[in-house]
């Protein structure tokens, strides 16, 4: 049976917007799932903050091999995956309270703390 051109159109057309919708929904779910500090800070700017304020203790590469050896290893994906952005952000902001990790809430603007956190996250990212 041959379809009239208008029937064919009305039959296949709905699939295009639907496929597009489902596709973009999946992509946004993926983005939410993998969404980390990168969405709240700019790692490129954070790298500058890190070099100035953090590298002396945490090491240029963030592996904790700076002037102190008991430091967390930001390049270790397992360690970093166990911490939420909020936990790390709070630590950067309020410090370790006696551990040697300084509080940066008076030193760095809130946005800069998110930038540096975004940068730290890239250090354990296998494909930045
Ligand atoms: C004077 C040395 C020193 C400097 C400077 C320093 N830190 Fe730390 N940091 C530490 C120490 C020691 C620890 C481990 C003890 C603790 O968690 O409180 C730590 C822990 C942390 C943690 C917790 C990691 C975890 O796995 O829980 C984060 C995040 C962190 N530092 C980020 C930063 C950032 C970002 C900067 C720069 C803005 C910075 N630190 C500067 C000494 C330092």
């Amino acid at each position: 049976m041959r379809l009239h051109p208008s029937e064919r159109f009305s039959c296949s057309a709905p699939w295009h917007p639907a496929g597009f919708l489902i596709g973009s929904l999946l992509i946004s779910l993926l983005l939410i799932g993998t969404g980390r500090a990168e969405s709240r800070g700019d790692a490129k700017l954070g790298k500058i903050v890190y070099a100035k304020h953090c590298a002396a203790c945490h090491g240029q590469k963030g592996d904790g091999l700076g002037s102190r050896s008991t430091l967390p290893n930001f390049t270790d994906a397992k360690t970093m995956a166990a911490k939420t952005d909020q936990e790390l952000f709070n630590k950067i902001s309020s410090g370790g309270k006696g551990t040697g990790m300084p509080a940066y809430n008076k030193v760095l603007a809130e946005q800069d703390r998110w930038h540096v956190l975004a940068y730290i996250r890239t250090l354990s990212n296998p494909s930045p």
Side-chain angles (χ1 to χ4, degrees), residues 12 20-21 81-82 116:
S12 63
F20 178 74
L21 262 177
V116 79

Side-chain angles (χ1 to χ4, degrees), residues 33-55:
T34 57
R36 288 179 171 173
E38 286 89 338
S39 54
R40 299 192 65 170
D42 183 336
K44 278 199 198 93
L45 296 173
K47 188 175 184 175
I48 300 165
V49 177
Y50 184 88
K52 187 169 174 214
H53 293 276
C54 325

Side-chain angles (χ1 to χ4, degrees), residues 53-54 57-58 71-72 83 91-92 96 99-102 104 116 120:
H53 293 276
C54 325
C57 287
H58 287 280
L71 290 184
K83 311 268 175 169
K91 175 63 68 88
I92 295 166
T99 64
M101 168 64 193
Y104 281 92
V116 79
I120 285 175

Side-chain angles (χ1 to χ4, degrees), residues 36 62 72-85 87-88 117 120-121 123-124:
R36 288 179 171 173
N73 187 345
F74 298 149
T75 65
D76 185 70
K78 250 195 209 146
T79 311
M80 294 309 281
K83 311 268 175 169
T84 65
D85 285 344
E87 280 176 296
L88 298 174
L117 176 52
I120 285 175
R121 283 292 192 198
L123 299 177
S124 62

